[in-house]
Each structure stands twice: as C-alpha cells, then as structure tokens.
Amino acid sequence: MNRWFVRGCVLGSVVGLLPALAAAQEDSVDRAREALAQQEGDEDASQQLEEVFQAAEKNYSLQKKGSHSLNYSLDYSYTGDQRLDLSITGGSVQNLDVVPSATHSFTNAFSYDYGLLDNLTVGTRIPLVVKYDTQDELNVYDFGDISFTARWQPLAYVPGKMSTTLFGTLSSKTGVSPYEIDIKRELSTGSGYYTVSGGASLSKVLDPVVIFGSTSLSYNFPADDLNQVRGARLLEKVEPGFGLSGSAGFAYSLSYDISLSVSAQVSYSDETVLSFSDGSEAVAQDQVTGFLSMSLGTRVSDTTIVNTSLGIGLTEDAPDFSLGLSLPINFSGLKD
C-alpha cells in the first residue's frame, strides 16, 4: 500500500509539473523565434541584391564625389620658320635674305579636379608660360589663359560597352594678348579673347587595348576696344570666328607598369577678321592643323603614373614637334 502511495505522489507531482514544463518549452520556442526573426536594421537577401545592383549602376570613371586630384604637366614645343628680308625699290629687288627663326615655348600647368558627383567633375587649369624667340631675341614669362572645365558622364560605365563623357570648357584671356603688345618688342602667352567650347569623348575597353576619340566645337568671342599699332594702321577689333577639332587613338597596356598610347588630332580654325581705325579690314585665312602624339605611361608607385609624350606636327601651321611630361601631385589634404 505504501508502494502505491509513493507511486501516486510521484505521478501527481509529475502531472502538476506538466503545465510548467509546457510553458517553459513554449517560452523557449518563442525566444528562439524572436532570435531568428529579422531585427530592425538587419538586411535581408533582397536588400543586399538591390544594393549590389545599385552599386553596379553607379560605376563611373570620373572623380568620386568629394574627391580631389592635382596634376602637374610640363610641355615644350618648337616652331621653326623662314622669314624673307627684302627691299624693293623702283620695282626691283635690292636686298633679299632668308632668315631662319625659331620659337621655343615652355608651359608649366597645374590642373585641379573635384568630384561634385560621382558622374560630374569640375576642374581648372592654370598655365605658366615661358617663350623665347631666337631671331628677335625676345622672351616672356607670364600666365597663360586659365581655363575651367566641367565633365559629365550621363550613363554609368558598363564593361564591354562604349563609355561617353560630355564636357564644356571656358577659357579666359588672362595671358598676354597678341593684340595688346608691341609686336616688334614683345611676345604673347595667350589668345587674347574668351573661348567657350563643348564636346564629347568616347572610349571602349578591348583588353588589353583601349580605343578612344573625341570631338569638340568652340566659339571665340570678338576682342573689342583694342589699340594696337600694326604698320601704319591702328587695330581696333578682332573677330576670330569658331573652331572645330577631333581626335582618335588607342592605348595599349604592355604590362602592369607600362602603357603606350598613340593618337592623332585634327583641328580647323575659321578665318579671323581684323578691323582697323581707318575702316579697312584684313582677313587671316582659315587653317587646318594636324598633330600626331605618342605617350608612354610608367607606373613608379602604387598610386603614381608618370606620362611622357612626343608630338609631331603634320601640317605647316602646327608646331614642328613637342615634348611633354605629366604626373600627379599627392598631398595628404587632398586624399579622399
């Protein structure tokens, strides 16, 4: 009887504990569900995929938003010519001499770019020009024409597709104007007028080759209120007209540290009209200029690539040849 009484007590205690055990089990299940459930701020798979697609859509090749870059370039160009020194008296030539002349130009330029958006970059270029004329022994050291540029990439870069960048440039007349100097005693470092230009550049990666090209149209504003003596006349106004240019080329990666690029540029300049105080006009004929450029890019560190270039004039109006060097300038204050 005692045995049955003990069994009954054990069974009763177990039956009494069942609700508590069930409640505990249910509570533990709820806690497990809560722990496995998505918390606020967590990302599910769909959100992660969406972010991946958004990142792919925002892959641009311009400056990243908020980033800076500063570059330095040094360019040298040589222009040779032959001048005729002659005197005509009574319809006959009394003196004739062919005098060679040469102009050496050195341009030191600092270019700064800032990313307003991932697909919009603005920048400026400040040139310092040194020119020397061997014939007349003239020289000048001054600023060139400072320019401001905006580049916009309307569509994100897609591997295997053509990349398009639109650009616009405003060039000032901060350099020494050729229409405001004594042409027998001074040299110029600028164009003498404001210029607005716009165009598009295209590129496509065909690993290990990149092909590229660009075209642009420029408008040159007239220069008024001039007072330059030219011979027996006084120059008062210059209307330079418009310009059109195009270029194409390719870049080839020889290795991780070396790349080579070759490009050709052709530009057309409309005729320039010079108006004098006596009401007469002189017209400088339009010009077509061709230039061939070869550039070698050398990686000297993980973040620095030095470019050296050689240019050869293809037409009479182009410089005979040019040499160039460009490299980035890294300052801690300009890092992202």
Side-chain angles (χ1 to χ4, degrees):
M1 181 152 185
N2 291 335
R3 186 172 53 185
W4 287 103
F5 175 77
V6 174
R7 290 181 178 178
C9 290
V10 174
L11 182 60
S13 62
V14 172
V15 173
L17 288 174
L18 284 177
L21 292 173
Q25 184 178 5
E26 183 177 358
D27 182 63
S28 63
V29 172
D30 291 338
R31 289 183 181 180
R33 289 175 178 174
E34 183 179 357
L36 293 176
Q38 180 181 355
Q39 301 296 317
E40 183 179 359
D42 290 347
E43 295 181 338
D44 58 13
S46 61
Q47 288 179 331
Q48 293 176 355
L49 286 175
E50 184 177 357
E51 290 182 358
V52 171
F53 289 136
Q54 290 177 351
E57 291 174 356
K58 296 181 180 179
N59 186 11
Y60 298 99
S61 58
L62 300 180
Q63 289 286 131
K64 297 297 183 182
K65 182 179 179 180
S67 63
H68 311 257
S69 70
L70 181 63
N71 291 272
Y72 167 77
S73 63
L74 171 63
D75 296 295
Y76 164 77
S77 64
Y78 169 83
T79 302
D81 199 1
Q82 301 289 336
R83 299 180 182 178
L84 295 179
D85 184 9
L86 57 86
S87 175
I88 300 178
T89 304
S92 61
V93 178
Q94 301 294 331
N95 182 25
L96 175 62
D97 189 14
V98 179
V99 181
S101 66
T103 302
H104 305 268
S105 299
F106 298 86
T107 302
N108 299 269
F110 294 89
S111 301
Y112 170 76
D113 290 322
Y114 175 74
L116 282 180
L117 300 172
D118 286 342
N119 65 334
L120 178 61
T121 297
V122 295
T124 183
R125 181 177 183 271
I126 303 176
L128 305 172
V129 180
V130 178
K131 293 180 71 174
Y132 180 72
D133 189 320
T134 58
Q135 170 61 26
D136 298 327
E137 296 186 352
L138 303 176
N139 57 72
V140 62
Y141 312 88
D142 213 314
F143 281 97
D145 291 340
I146 298 176
S147 60
F148 304 90
T149 303
R151 297 189 296 274
W152 176 53
Q153 197 170 355
L155 300 175
Y157 169 72
V158 178
K161 301 294 184 180
M162 187 76 70
S163 177
T164 303
T165 301
L166 306 179
F167 59 87
T169 301
L170 170 64
S171 180
S172 66
K173 56 176 183 178
T174 51
V176 178
S177 172
Y179 309 113
E180 298 179 0
I181 61 174
D182 185 343
I183 58 178
K184 294 183 178 181
R185 299 181 179 180
E186 297 175 289
L187 296 175
S188 64
T189 61
S191 62
Y193 43 78
Y194 288 98
T195 300
V196 174
S197 61
S201 60
L202 306 173
S203 64
K204 186 175 182 179
V205 178
L206 301 173
D207 194 25
V209 176
V210 178
I211 57 174
F212 55 86
S214 68
T215 181
S216 65
L217 177 65
S218 61
Y219 174 76
N220 304 311
F221 290 87
D224 300 321
D225 301 325
L226 302 177
N227 191 24
Q228 185 185 51
V229 176
R230 293 206 169 193
R233 297 181 294 180
L234 190 65
L235 179 64
E236 290 186 336
K237 183 179 180 180
V238 174
E239 299 177 71
F242 69 95
L244 180 65
S245 66
S247 63
F250 70 92
Y252 178 72
S253 178
L254 300 176
S255 68
Y256 176 77
D257 297 321
I258 300 293
S259 63
L260 174 67
S261 65
V262 179
S263 63
Q265 179 180 357
V266 177
S267 60
Y268 169 81
S269 300
D270 192 21
E271 62 183 21
T272 300
V273 179
L274 291 79
S275 301
F276 298 90
S277 58
D278 59 359
S280 61
E281 291 184 346
V283 178
Q285 297 300 319
D286 52 359
Q287 297 179 347
V288 177
T289 303
F291 208 73
L292 178 65
S293 179
M294 293 169 285
S295 177
L296 182 68
T298 305
R299 183 183 297 275
V300 296
S301 70
D302 292 339
T303 59
T304 303
I305 296 178
V306 177
N307 289 289
T308 55
S309 63
L310 168 65
I312 302 174
L314 302 178
T315 61
E316 182 179 357
D317 298 323
D320 291 356
F321 73 92
S322 69
L323 299 173
L325 171 70
S326 65
L327 70 157
I329 300 177
N330 298 318
F331 289 116
S332 58
L334 291 179
K335 292 182 179 179
D336 297 346

